[in-house]
Amino acid sequence: MRTRLLALGMTVTLMLTACQPQTVTVVPKQQFQEQTLSWIHHFDEEGARKWLEAGTQLFAKQHPPYAFTLTGVDGGNYMSLLRTRVISNNMPDIYMLDNIEAAQDLIHKGYAMDLTGQPFLSQIDEKFLNGVKTADGKIWALPIDVNGAGVIYNKDAFAHAGIQSPPTTWPQFLAACEALQKAGIIPIAAGYKDSWTLTWDIAADLLANQYAAGRNWIVDIEAGRTSFADDQIHFKDILKRYGERLSYVNIKPFETDWNQAQGLLAEGKAGMIINGTWTVDGVKSKNPASNLGLFAFPYSNNPQDAKFGLKSTGGIVINPKSPYKEAALQTLELFASKEMGTIFQTKKKALSVIKGLPNDFDPTYVELDETYIQTGKTYDWSSLPTDFVNQDLQKVFVNALTKFVIDRSHNVDLCIQELDQAFDRIRKPSK
């Protein structure tokens, strides 16, 4: 899109072919400029959008020939949109990727610039570059944050329910749910109207068990080298725990969207959300005074198993076919600076990957740092995917979880049987 810029601060809503809304923010110049870089992202949280807007506005101020069009896309349709754009040869100049391994097709088709050796990468904590590298050592994205998978909780709601400290075992977790429920508080907020939250509701449990028992599990399932029934990572127990806690979610979770679920936690009407650390930004955007905490999902009876998963994978990607690739590289140089890292932590309420920044920028992360990071009670899930690359398999997985939730008996064996049958049908080569 090389169109005349809109008025300052204007946002417009476009419609995807699949009828999914996109929020487009135009970062303007004082006068019309032809050199407008397009940037597609999937950030729903207000803080992340403000960080993007602040950075692109700063770049435009420093480099007068350039401006940006920021397009926000629903996370559940994001990769499908990018692949559709590849087919139509309409890829943006800059875009975001969550997982490099799951986007190999975009790299192979020449829509990701090799960033290996770029000077600005020296500003990134080296350990966080592993999540944007392929096996050959090439770097394909500028990482931006450290994402965690666990439980986000409202400390005031816990105090009201008489819960003195976060649970560290599965029985303690169920006891906390009971205490919240008795206090008239929804124990767990679920926004299943946005289907991606289904997979993230079990991600903390799934990732911890993959890390402990089968780090190639999703890849092996997808390739047919193992099955759900083989129970390599104790998937039956993961589903069983999921079924046990479903009685503690809000009523009509499929009529509740992600924003509404975050609102429940922000207002203290719910005690917990099981998801990623980006939830902190979403909740605090709705209520900056929210008194939040983070704790590891306690999937076993052993408190030592309650480790918080942290990783940095994916980030900002440049389309090397862009006519503005040099400006895009300069943009990444700015976004790798301490200045933008500070803005990131302040606006997005997330841990930056940039060297030399503190972890105590928000009380929520002080707790995470003291309880888990400083004590070594974390694990790195950089190499652990949460989704299947084959979108047909991913849809089957989400549909199976949906059926499992709706089924009041939460039949674990039936869910596993139907998953294996459906996966076998999709993987079977056509004659």
Side-chain angles (χ1 to χ4, degrees):
M1 293 175 62
R2 301 291 181 265
T3 59
R4 187 174 298 274
L5 297 179
L6 302 180
L8 180 63
M10 176 176 287
T11 60
V12 296
T13 301
L14 304 178
M15 296 303 295
L16 291 175
T17 303
C19 297
Q20 294 292 333
Q22 303 177 76
T23 301
V24 179
T25 303
V26 176
V27 181
K29 297 298 294 173
Q30 293 180 350
Q31 58 185 4
F32 174 73
Q33 296 287 348
E34 290 288 348
Q35 294 171 300
T36 303
L37 283 77
S38 57
W39 189 330
I40 291 182
H41 64 88
H42 53 65
F43 293 128
D44 176 64
E45 298 82 12
E46 181 183 356
R49 291 174 182 266
K50 287 183 176 179
W51 163 71
L52 275 182
E53 290 170 10
T56 48
Q57 285 171 354
L58 179 58
F59 185 88
K61 182 178 180 180
Q62 295 172 348
H63 302 81
Y66 297 104
F68 294 82
T69 300
L70 306 178
T71 304
V73 179
D74 172 66
N77 299 288
Y78 184 72
M79 291 304 297
S80 295
L81 170 70
L82 289 183
R83 290 181 171 112
T84 299
R85 290 235 179 179
V86 166
I87 293 171
S88 61
N89 194 28
N90 187 30
M91 283 290 281
D93 302 302
I94 304 174
Y95 59 100
M96 315 297 296
L97 283 179
D98 282 341
N99 190 296
I100 298 300
E101 292 300 322
Q104 287 297 297
D105 55 326
L106 302 185
I107 295 174
H108 292 157
K109 291 176 182 177
Y111 286 101
M113 181 183 289
D114 181 1
L115 300 178
T116 311
Q118 289 293 333
F120 56 75
L121 293 177
S122 64
Q123 300 297 318
I124 308 301
D125 192 325
E126 190 171 349
K127 65 176 175 288
F128 297 130
L129 290 173
N130 292 328
V132 292
K133 287 181 182 178
T134 43
D136 57 7
K138 291 183 178 180
I139 297 173
W140 301 98
L142 172 69
I144 57 172
D145 62 352
V146 182
N147 285 322
V151 185
I152 304 88
Y153 74 104
N154 187 305
K155 292 184 176 181
D156 293 336
F158 268 47
H160 182 72
I163 304 169
Q164 296 182 354
S165 60
T168 57
T169 67
W170 182 242
Q172 289 176 6
F173 181 87
L174 294 178
C177 288
E178 282 290 328
L180 287 163
Q181 197 168 65
K182 287 180 181 177
I185 299 169
I186 299 166
I188 305 169
Y192 296 159
K193 189 173 182 180
D194 291 306
S195 61
W196 69 269
T197 64
L198 275 165
T199 54
W200 268 95
D201 207 330
I202 68 166
D205 199 346
L206 192 70
L207 288 168
N209 280 277
Q210 282 187 80
Y211 186 82
R215 302 186 187 185
N216 295 318
W217 180 76
I218 279 188
V219 175
D220 289 342
I221 286 277
E222 186 152 359
R225 289 189 288 268
T226 189
S227 67
F228 291 95
D230 284 343
D231 209 28
Q232 182 182 357
I233 63 165
H234 311 293
F235 187 68
K236 290 182 180 179
D237 289 337
I238 293 170
L239 277 183
K240 182 175 180 291
R241 284 189 289 273
Y242 189 32
E244 287 176 353
R245 59 185 169 85
L246 281 171
S247 61
Y248 297 110
V249 305
N250 45 285
I251 60 172
K252 298 182 179 179
F254 289 101
E255 296 179 21
T256 305
D257 64 23
W258 177 233
N259 277 317
Q260 291 170 323
Q262 291 178 102
L264 291 172
L265 190 66
E267 297 164 11
K269 294 180 179 179
M272 296 177 280
I273 284 180
I274 304 170
N275 207 287
T277 49
W278 50 81
T279 307
V280 175
D281 177 15
V283 173
K284 291 204 169 187
S285 294
K286 292 167 177 57
N287 179 11
S290 299
N291 186 14
L292 303 181
L294 293 162
F295 67 87
F297 184 81
Y299 67 89
S300 78
N301 293 337
N302 183 356
Q304 298 305 313
D305 289 337
K307 296 181 179 181
F308 209 100
L310 294 173
K311 66 96 182 181
S312 180
T313 60
I316 309 173
V317 181
I318 294 175
N319 175 7
K321 299 181 182 182
S322 164
Y324 307 124
K325 58 186 178 183
E326 292 304 321
L329 276 170
Q330 291 177 312
T331 302
L332 262 62
E333 182 178 2
L334 173 63
F335 274 80
S337 68
K338 278 189 177 182
E339 179 181 10
M340 285 307 301
T342 301
I343 293 173
F344 180 85
Q345 293 196 154
T346 302
K347 299 290 187 185
K348 194 177 183 295
K349 301 291 188 295
L351 291 168
S352 172
V353 299
I354 296 172
K355 292 177 181 177
L357 295 179
N359 290 341
D360 60 355
F361 59 93
D362 184 271
T364 307
Y365 287 94
V366 170
E367 180 182 27
L368 178 69
D369 186 46
E370 291 178 350
T371 305
Y372 296 99
I373 297 176
Q374 292 185 24
T375 60
K377 295 190 68 175
T378 65
Y379 66 91
D380 181 1
W381 58 282
S382 297
S383 62
L384 303 178
T386 57
D387 297 329
F388 296 95
V389 175
N390 184 318
Q391 291 303 294
D392 290 332
L393 296 180
Q394 182 63 19
K395 288 176 184 176
V396 165
F397 188 61
V398 172
N399 289 340
L401 291 179
T402 301
K403 186 175 179 180
F404 182 78
V405 173
I406 294 173
D407 173 17
R408 292 186 178 181
S409 68
H410 307 308
N411 191 317
V412 171
D413 291 332
L414 179 61
C415 181
I416 288 175
Q417 180 184 0
E418 292 181 348
L419 274 169
D420 278 332
Q421 290 175 350
F423 270 52
D424 285 343
R425 284 195 301 270
I426 293 171
R427 286 190 304 248
K428 187 176 181 180
S430 57
K431 295 182 179 179

